Amino acid sequence: MKHLLIACIALYLSSAVIAQDKQSSIIHSHAITIHGEPKYPKHFEHFEYAHPNAPKGGTLRLAEVGTFDSVNPYAIKGRPERHTLLLLHGSLLESAHDEIGTMYGHIAQSVEYPLSRQWITFHLNPKATFSDGHPITAHDVAFSFNALMQNGSPRYKLYWADVSKVEVINDQTITFYNGNPDNTELFQILGQIPVLAEHYWQKHDLQKSSLDIPVVSGPYTLARVDAGRRAVYTRIKDYWAQNTPTRKGMFNFDVIDVTYYKDNNVYLEAFKAGEFDLNTRNTAKNWANAYNIAAVKAGKIIKAEIPNANTQGFTGLMFNLRKREFSSPALREAINYAYDFEWTNKNLFYSSYTRSNSYFANSELSATGLPSAKELTLLKPLAQYIPAQVFTQAYTNPQTQGSGNNRENLKKAKEILQRAGFNVVNGKLINPNTQKPVTLEILQSSTLFEGLINPWINNLKKLGIDATLRVVGSAQYISLRNNRDFDASIISIAPTSSPGNEQRDYWGSQAANLNNSLNHMGISNRAVDALIEHIIDAPSREELVIATRALDRVLLHSHYAVPFHYSPISKVAYWNKFNFIASPKYDYRFFYAPHFWWYDDKKADKLPR
C-alpha cells in the first residue's frame, strides 16, 4: 500500500501547480486533492460556476419546515438554524463543486506537507479577519480544533481521530501531525475545520445552544433572530474574502431572510403566495399537481428539473440494533419484503423515483453483481463477520407488480421468519430471542411519510407484527433519536462522492454507543470497521471505489435498514427574480443554498410586490 501511495503522489507532482523541494520532498501547493490533480491552477481567479462580476444586492427569502432554538451549530444539545454553518463560518480550505475530492486555499492560502504525509502545515492568509475586524490567526485555528474535539459533537472525535499533535508555529502558520499516514483524506478534512474566534468563545460556552449573535469568520452575520420563526442574515460589506478565488462571484445577496413554517402544506401555499422565493420541498404529488397556477403559466415561477451527477446518499427505515428485538437479520429482511415499493411509487410518487439498491446510489461507488476479484481480497479475510450471501448473491430489493397485492413477497417473508425460528401464535409473531410478540414503532417528526407507512403497517400485520406509526414534534423527535429511544425511523444520510473518515461516524463501532453520533442504527461489526479503514487509507480513486463497493455489499446484505428511493433529478421551484450560470456537477446544495445566484432587479420588477 505504501508503494502505491508514493506512486500516486508522484503522479500528482507532475502538475505544474505544485512545487517540490527535491532535497526534503516537501510539497507546496494552493490545493489538496485526494487522487489525481486539481482542476484549477495556482493563481486562478474564480470557480467556473461563479460569475466574477455578479452584482451584489437584493434579498433572498428562504423557508424551512420545523423549528430552531439556537444559532450555535456546534452544541450537542438544541436544534440550530439550518443555514448557520454555511453562512456564518469559514474554513481553512474550500471545496470545488465541479470536481471530486479537491479543496483550495481559503482562510489558509497554501499548504505544505512531506511525501510521507506525517504532517501538514497550513499558511493562513494574512488578510483574513473575523466579522468584528480581529485578525484570524493560527491560535484561532488551534482553539477551534481543540474545542470541537473536546466539547463538540462526538462525530468530530471520530472525524479527526488520527491527528496526534497540533503545533502553532506563528500567527499565520499551524502544523497538524498525522498519527496514521495511510489516512489519505486526513489533510483534506482538516481543511474543513470551521474557524472560530477564540476571543469570543473563551467568554461563551460552545456546548450550549444559544441565540446570541457570535463573532464569525464567514460572509454573513445575523441581524435578527426570532427563535423557531425567523433568522435574518446580512452580508458583511467589507468581508475580507469577497474577491478571493474561493469566494469571488459568490454570496451575492445583501440579505438572506429565513422563515420557518410548522406544516408542509402551509409552507407550499406560502411559497405560491410569494411569501418566500425558493421551494426545495417538492414531493412527487405536489410537483405533479400543485403548480397548475397562473404564476407558473406566466413564467413568474420557474419549475426546474436539473439532472445531477451526485451520489444520492441513503434514505431508509433504519432499525435500532441496540434493541434485542431487532438483532435478527431475518426479521429485518422480512420487514423489507412487506414494503411494496412498486405500488407506493406508482400510486403515491407518480412513478418518479428509483429504488435504492445501494448506500451510494447513482454513482460508481455502488456495488453491482457479485464481488470483483479485487473486492474479494478485502472481503475474504473478514468472511466470519460477513453474511454468506455477500459472496454468492447480488443484492436486490424485493419487487412486486405494483398492483397492491403483495402476497408472494409476504409468503417469502414468512419463510424467512420461520427458518429463523419465528412462529405465529394467536395471530402474533413470536420472537425466539425474546419469546415476546414482535412490535415495531416507527418514529417520525412529521406526517410526510404517512401515506407510505400505513399500507406497509397493514402488510406487517399480516405477518403478525404489531406495527404502529408515532409522530412527535421535531424537538422531541431529535431527543428520542439521539438518545436511541426508538425502534425504527426513516432517516437520511448525506451524500458524498468521496467517502472517507465520515464513514466511521455513520457505521463504525466507535460511534455505535455514542449519543448524537450519526450511527443511528448502532452498527458494530468488525468487517464494517475494517472496510471503513480501507476506504480511508485508499491510495487511489480506484482503490477507494473498490473498498466502498465492498462496504456497500456488507451493509446491504446485513439488512440494517430497508432502503427507500432516490431521484437523480433535483426538482426546485423559484420565483423568477434571479440569475445563475449553471449547477456545478457535484454540488447537491446548489438549489438548497444558492450561494452562486444573484438578484436581478429587472426580473424582480415584473413580479407582484
Side-chain angles (χ1 to χ4, degrees):
M1 182 174 289
K2 291 290 186 181
H3 296 298
L4 287 173
L5 175 61
I6 293 172
C8 178
I9 295 176
L11 176 63
Y12 173 53
L13 291 178
S14 66
S15 170
V17 302
I18 296 177
Q20 178 184 340
D21 180 335
K22 293 183 178 179
Q23 290 184 343
S24 55
S25 297
I26 304 297
I27 297 169
H28 305 266
S29 181
H30 68 298
I32 298 177
T33 186
I34 299 179
H35 308 120
E37 300 177 7
K39 173 181 178 178
Y40 295 96
K42 190 175 183 180
H43 304 308
F44 76 100
E45 295 184 358
H46 62 89
F47 293 128
E48 290 178 0
Y49 45 81
H51 191 324
N53 299 316
K56 304 291 186 184
T59 296
L60 172 65
R61 298 172 304 162
L62 300 176
E64 301 290 341
V65 173
T67 187
F68 71 94
D69 58 12
S70 176
V71 294
N72 174 13
Y74 307 109
I76 294 176
K77 296 182 178 180
R79 186 177 181 88
E81 201 290 302
R82 185 185 175 203
H83 299 82
T84 51
L85 274 172
L86 176 67
L87 299 179
L88 298 183
H89 302 279
S91 55
L92 292 173
L93 306 178
E94 177 69 23
S95 295
H97 300 300
D98 53 355
E99 56 185 320
I100 294 177
T102 305
M103 301 186 74
Y104 294 86
H106 181 52
I107 290 176
Q109 62 184 0
S110 65
V111 298
E112 60 178 310
Y113 57 93
L115 286 174
S116 63
R117 301 184 75 88
Q118 293 177 322
W119 52 263
I120 183 170
T121 295
F122 293 91
H123 298 282
L124 273 57
N125 191 322
K127 297 179 181 179
T129 60
F130 290 106
S131 55
D132 63 353
H134 275 68
I136 297 175
T137 72
H139 300 282
D140 295 299
V141 177
F143 169 82
S144 303
F145 176 83
N146 290 325
L148 292 172
M149 288 289 280
Q150 295 168 11
N151 302 316
S153 166
R155 69 193 62 164
Y156 293 116
K157 296 180 177 68
L158 299 172
Y159 203 43
W160 298 317
D162 287 333
V163 174
S164 60
K165 179 183 176 183
V166 182
E167 182 179 4
V168 174
I169 307 302
N170 55 48
D171 282 353
Q172 261 70 55
T173 313
I174 185 169
T175 298
F176 292 85
Y177 292 87
N178 187 358
N180 175 20
D182 284 338
N183 186 340
T184 57
E185 190 194 39
L186 181 63
F187 293 172
Q188 276 209 328
I189 63 175
L190 285 171
Q192 297 172 1
I193 294 172
V195 181
L196 308 176
E198 181 178 18
H199 64 278
Y200 174 84
W201 286 106
Q202 280 184 332
K203 302 175 183 178
H204 298 79
D205 191 344
L206 192 67
Q207 292 180 288
K208 291 185 177 180
S209 62
S210 173
L211 294 172
D212 294 339
I213 297 174
V215 173
V216 297
S217 55
Y220 286 82
T221 187
L222 279 159
R224 173 181 172 181
V225 181
D226 186 357
R229 297 180 180 179
R230 190 180 180 198
V232 180
Y233 297 85
T234 56
R235 184 171 61 87
I236 298 172
K237 298 298 175 62
D238 58 350
Y239 176 48
W240 71 271
Q242 61 186 345
N243 290 314
T244 62
T246 52
R247 285 290 182 264
K248 194 171 182 64
M250 299 166 57
F251 298 103
N252 300 309
F253 300 106
D254 280 347
V255 177
I256 297 179
D257 191 338
V258 186
T259 301
Y260 277 70
Y261 295 87
K262 299 296 184 183
D263 179 83
N264 282 290
N265 292 327
V266 175
Y267 168 96
L268 175 61
E269 294 306 316
F271 169 73
K272 292 193 292 184
E275 293 184 13
F276 61 93
D277 299 323
L278 177 65
N279 180 7
T280 61
R281 300 177 66 88
N282 288 295
T283 63
K285 179 181 179 181
N286 287 341
W287 194 251
N289 299 325
Y291 289 102
N292 187 24
I293 58 176
V296 174
K297 295 175 182 178
K300 295 178 181 179
I301 291 178
I302 303 297
K303 285 181 66 182
E305 295 187 0
I306 309 296
N308 66 68
N310 283 308
T311 306
Q312 293 300 303
F314 181 83
T315 298
L317 183 74
M318 297 189 178
F319 298 100
N320 185 358
L321 306 179
R322 302 168 189 86
K323 294 198 170 185
R324 189 182 177 196
E325 187 161 18
F326 302 105
S327 63
S328 168
L331 175 61
R332 304 192 299 264
E333 183 181 10
I335 290 173
N336 190 5
Y337 271 88
Y339 173 44
D340 191 341
F341 167 75
E342 285 72 24
W343 181 91
T344 301
N345 194 34
K346 177 181 177 181
N347 289 275
L348 300 182
F349 301 148
Y350 296 81
S351 300
S352 61
Y353 290 117
T354 300
R355 185 79 190 267
S356 294
N357 281 297
S358 171
Y359 280 74
F360 305 90
N362 196 48
S363 78
E364 64 176 344
L365 303 168
S366 299
T368 57
L370 293 174
S372 67
K374 291 183 178 179
E375 288 177 68
L376 289 173
T377 62
L378 302 180
L379 292 168
K380 284 184 175 179
L382 304 169
Q384 62 179 310
Y385 308 112
I386 293 175
Q389 294 87 345
V390 167
F391 300 97
T392 60
Q393 298 177 16
Y395 180 87
T396 56
N397 282 299
Q399 294 182 330
T400 71
Q401 297 299 317
S403 65
N405 184 346
N406 198 22
R407 182 178 300 174
E408 290 302 314
N409 278 353
L410 290 177
K411 181 180 178 181
K412 177 68 174 176
K414 289 179 180 179
E415 293 173 355
I416 292 170
L417 290 168
Q418 288 173 353
R419 285 199 300 269
F422 288 80
N423 291 297
V424 177
V425 178
N426 297 325
K428 302 291 185 182
L429 185 69
I430 304 301
N431 190 319
N433 296 321
T434 64
Q435 296 301 315
K436 295 179 180 180
V438 175
T439 61
L440 172 66
E441 182 182 81
I442 300 174
L443 179 70
Q444 292 301 118
S445 62
S446 79
T447 59
L448 185 63
F449 286 104
E450 188 174 27
L452 178 156
I453 292 173
N454 286 334
W456 195 358
I457 286 175
N458 291 333
N459 283 334
L460 289 169
K461 288 183 177 178
K462 295 175 183 178
L463 297 175
I465 298 173
D466 184 13
T468 57
L469 170 63
R470 181 187 180 191
V471 179
V472 299
S474 59
Q476 185 181 5
Y477 172 78
I478 291 173
S479 176
L480 291 170
R481 189 188 66 187
N482 287 350
N483 288 308
R484 315 312 187 190
D485 187 11
F486 68 96
D487 291 345
S489 184
I490 298 172
I491 299 174
S492 295
I493 295 295
T496 175
S497 296
S498 184
N501 287 258
E502 79 288 340
Q503 302 297 306
R504 290 172 174 164
D505 193 29
Y506 293 161
W507 333 110
S509 296
Q510 285 184 291
N513 293 313
L514 290 177
N515 288 355
N516 302 288
S517 80
L518 294 179
N519 188 347
H520 302 294
M521 294 179 281
I523 297 172
S524 182
N525 181 302
R526 292 187 183 182
V528 170
D529 292 340
L531 292 171
I532 289 172
E533 296 309 308
H534 281 302
I535 291 172
I536 292 171
D537 296 347
S540 68
R541 178 70 184 179
E542 179 188 7
E543 296 293 325
L544 181 139
V545 170
I546 291 167
T548 305
R549 289 175 179 172
L551 173 65
D552 195 25
R553 294 181 192 281
V554 175
L555 294 175
L556 290 167
H557 282 286
S558 298
H559 305 292
Y560 293 130
V562 175
F564 274 19
H565 51 262
Y566 72 93
S567 173
I569 305 294
S570 297
K571 298 180 177 71
V572 182
Y574 60 93
W575 284 88
N576 191 15
K577 60 174 80 171
F578 307 106
N579 282 321
F580 51 85
I581 296 177
S583 172
K585 185 176 182 180
Y586 300 108
D587 189 5
Y588 69 92
R589 302 176 305 172
F590 182 69
F591 282 112
Y592 298 89
H595 43 297
F596 314 124
W597 297 24
W598 65 92
Y599 192 84
D600 189 315
D601 291 312
K602 292 181 179 179
K603 288 183 178 180
D605 287 343
K606 298 178 181 179
L607 299 178
R609 296 184 181 275

